[in-house]
Amino acid sequence: MDASTKGREEATRAALEEGKAHFVFRSERPRLLAHALGNAALGILIVVMLWWVVAEAMMFIRGVAFPTPPETLIALWEALRGADVNGESIYTHTTVSLSRWGQGYLIALVIGLTLGMAFGTLPRLHEIGMVSVYVFQMIPGLAWIPIAMLIFGLGETATVFIIAMTAIPPLVINTAGGIREVPTVFTRVARMSGKDDSATFFQVLLPAASLSIINGMRIGLANGWRVLIAAEMVVGVALGLGFSIYQSRYNLDFTAAFVCIVVICMIGLAIEKLLFVSMENRVRHRLGLDREDLI
Amino acid sequence: MTAELRNVSKVFTDPRRGKGLIALKDVSLKVEEGEFLCLVGASGCGKSTTLNLLAGFEGPSRGEVFFKGEGVKGPSPDRGVVFQESSLYPWMSVLENVMFSLQGKERKEERAMEQLNLVGLEDFAHSRPSDLSGGMKQRVAIARTLAMGPDLLLMDEPFGSLDEQTRRKLDNEVLKLWQRERKTVVFVTHNIDEALLLGTRIVLMSPSPGRIEKEWRIDEPWPRDLSDPGLVRMKEEIINMLQACPCANGAPSALIELKGV
Ligand SMILES: Nc1ncnc2c1ncn2[C@@H]1O[C@H](COP(=O)(O)OP(=O)(O)OP(=O)(O)O)[C@@H](O)[C@H]1O
Ligand SMILES: [Mg+2]
């Protein structure tokens, strides 16, 4: 079935007249894409307007210099052109943060996936281990600071540790949960076909749980990114987006803080949308779970 | 004799709530070589449990299960199951699903295609299960089970979720496969007509606790006519016994369906 050049209306009418059950028409992907982008833009606009209203209100009521959207945008533009943000260029702050985050996440992936797979396949271990995973998940980002400092002192390692610790629980929970929820009939088919445990695990359990595992990877990634500010409080060197936000408190450069917040949001959004949405769509497709994905 | 349940009881217990259920009580059943045995009975009378025991997915609480004279210890490719629910791996193509269960290493693709040929789905070898209708999926499931090369074919209401016409069509395909491949089949259904049209023997089970109530041998050749006086009488008898039994869980739905026929 190749794509038709006919429009939807025209093709529908033709099909009705010719009595055909299936017909094709020109894909409306561009229109749907524009529509989705328009809605997203509207959503962002609403948030920006809210921000603006709050900023003006605070300046009026409390007389504080609350950065407005235009001010922040201008500062962001300046920063992107190379202006200093809390003593360093925004690019340095960003690369340093991304690298810490990458290291923390990599460690979390190794530990989280391994634990998740072990918990998913060994019920006894699941019962023993899950409690602590849930406890770890409940520890707020800031609470990791004393723990990290006690174990590692001030420095990069402490930062990477905090990022890893917040990324691990969702990885474990989703990997173990995904494996445990694989329908019994799937494992029964493998067993009666004479597959051993390892073949069953790699050929059946993992693929069947892949969507859930990817979900855990995505939540873990977001957790690690969001904890950046807390994690960079213990970093010791004056570098990083999170550190910069924290620093703004002391030198009262709130615009710089807002610039960093915007950068953090943009990077998080980009990774979520570009990396994970496409990854999830591919897995969905492999699992035969395609739905009417519009874009 | 191919398979046998000898004085088998199956008990399910829920230690947390302190509740137990006797799903099967002292069931003895011999499955003869080459026969087409239909297991019928109200919902919850232990048909799937019986099949799971024969397949080796579960072990008996009392008694013993034998296959070809040896105790059953677990599932094995010589006892293939066609499950009631959709059991194809959605991330594999139809062909890959069949190849997954294929025994032996040489000419895998070719042999898998042969199995698909048997169920008339060679054109869909590279489709995804999600692109197939319910009936086609069950045909693939049958091809996959045949690919295991089982001596005993265990089918648990394989067409239970399909409409009557599709079910009749697939019943005929199964019958042809059985006649050609000379397998032993245990076929679970709660549709009496289906059992009468297919089986060389019908075993009626009754619930609470699950046990074997009665059995009938059918010597009619195929294709069978449901209006044949012998079959009509047998059907009446089965329905009467079904209605007489003190049915527990889930049974009413089976009765409502039967009253209509
Ligand atoms: N794993 C299990 N744990 C606890 N109870 C079970 C289990 N499997 C089956 N049972 C119970 O055993 C009884 C028999 O179940 P079974 O599935 O064999 O019935 P069935 O004859 O196949 O019914 P249906 O026609 O509805 O499929 C039911 O009461 C069911 O609730
Ligand atoms: Mg059943």
Side-chain angles (χ1 to χ4, degrees), chain B residues 99-172:
Chain B
M99 282 165 63
F100 180 85
S101 293
L102 209 58
Q103 305 298 305
K105 293 221 182 324
E106 20 7 281
R107 297 190 307 118
K108 274 199 134 178
E109 197 166 324
E110 209 180 316
R111 281 156 58 218
M113 280 308 271
E114 282 167 22
Q115 299 303 333
L116 282 175
N117 244 316
L118 283 181
V119 295
L121 284 177
E122 62 277 16
D123 290 344
F124 293 87
H126 300 288
S127 305
R128 283 310 173 89
S130 53
D131 295 336
L132 306 183
S133 71
M136 288 156 90
K137 280 184 203 159
Q138 286 306 65
R139 274 149 75 192
V140 177
I142 292 172
R144 174 179 66 186
T145 307
L146 290 175
M148 293 164 40
D151 299 318
L152 178 63
L153 201 54
L154 304 164
M155 308 178 88
D156 193 355
E157 303 195 41
F159 313 128
S161 57
L162 305 177
D163 62 276
E164 194 60 33
Q165 274 159 325
T166 315
R167 180 207 291 254
R168 283 285 152 81
K169 193 165 151 279
L170 295 182
D171 279 349
N172 277 327

Side-chain angles (χ1 to χ4, degrees), chain A residues 185-195 199-200 203-205 207-208 285-289, chain B residues 52 57-58 75-77 81 83 85-92 100-101 103 128 130 144 148:
Chain A
V185 66
F186 281 3
T187 42
R188 286 188 168 179
V189 168
R191 284 173 61 212
M192 75 173 182
S193 305
K195 304 284 174 184
T200 305
Q203 293 174 31
V204 178
L205 291 180
H285 177 72
R286 270 190 60 71
L287 292 178
L289 290 174
Chain B
N52 284 336
F57 293 135
E58 289 171 32
S76 140
V81 181
F83 298 90
E85 67 264 48
S86 183
S87 60
L88 300 178
Y89 297 131
W91 60 90
M92 296 183 188
F100 180 85
S101 293
Q103 305 298 305
R128 283 310 173 89
S130 53
R144 174 179 66 186
M148 293 164 40

Side-chain angles (χ1 to χ4, degrees), chain B residues 43-44 46-49 84 156-157 188:
Chain B
S43 184
K47 304 184 294 293
S48 299
T49 305
Q84 170 165 23
D156 193 355
E157 303 195 41
V188 169

Side-chain angles (χ1 to χ4, degrees), chain A residues 268-288:
Chain A
L269 198 70
I271 285 169
E272 165 85 11
K273 288 296 170 208
L274 299 182
L275 193 69
F276 274 98
V277 169
S278 72
M279 201 155 130
E280 188 178 323
N281 280 343
R282 214 166 320 140
V283 171
R284 267 189 193 287
H285 177 72
R286 270 190 60 71
L287 292 178

